[in-house]
Amino acid sequence: MAIIEIDPYEALVALAAADAGLVAQCGAQIDIWHHYGQDVGDWPLDSKSLVFVPSGGELDMDSPFARPIFEVRCYGDSPYDCGQVWRALVAWTVEHNERRTIVVTEGKALVQFILPQPGEGMPRLLFDDDIRPNGGMPFYSVLMRAEVANQVVT
């Protein structure tokens, strides 16, 4: 039975936050949930962001890897802005199609791959009425999958 030491979603967010192309589009606004709102420190409503929403996946206790599925939301002030974030996301997955490590809370995490779910490579344009009432804030949504080692690597 595998011991789970690594949070796979933390590893994915940390990898994305370390990518120059994604940071150029979103700044520090890359997380597992959005921070749009009216409170001090919240993300401005007209800004771009990248949000990883856990959506299930596979956890085989006899395997050393977790295989999470996640919805990636590319937020922007307009559909064009959403597309800029999505293109940076695609570049991040295609240009870095090799095993990567990243430091997370528990230690160093190993990410084997990050890819679109089969049949899910093109995004859907949706609108989030919770963030921006009366029309919604646009975001591109795409399902992706990854393979992350359950244990810390050295």
Side-chain angles (χ1 to χ4, degrees), residues 131-153:
I131 295 174
R132 189 186 292 166
N134 303 321
M137 182 162 184
F139 66 95
Y140 277 5
S141 172
V142 64
L143 285 177
M144 301 192 78
R145 61 193 173 98
E147 186 171 84
V148 182
N150 288 330
Q151 297 184 327
V152 172
V153 295

Side-chain angles (χ1 to χ4, degrees), residues 29 35-37 41-48 137:
Q29 296 181 177
H35 300 275
Y36 291 105
D42 283 349
W43 299 348
L45 290 177
D46 60 351
S47 63
K48 299 177 197 173
M137 182 162 184

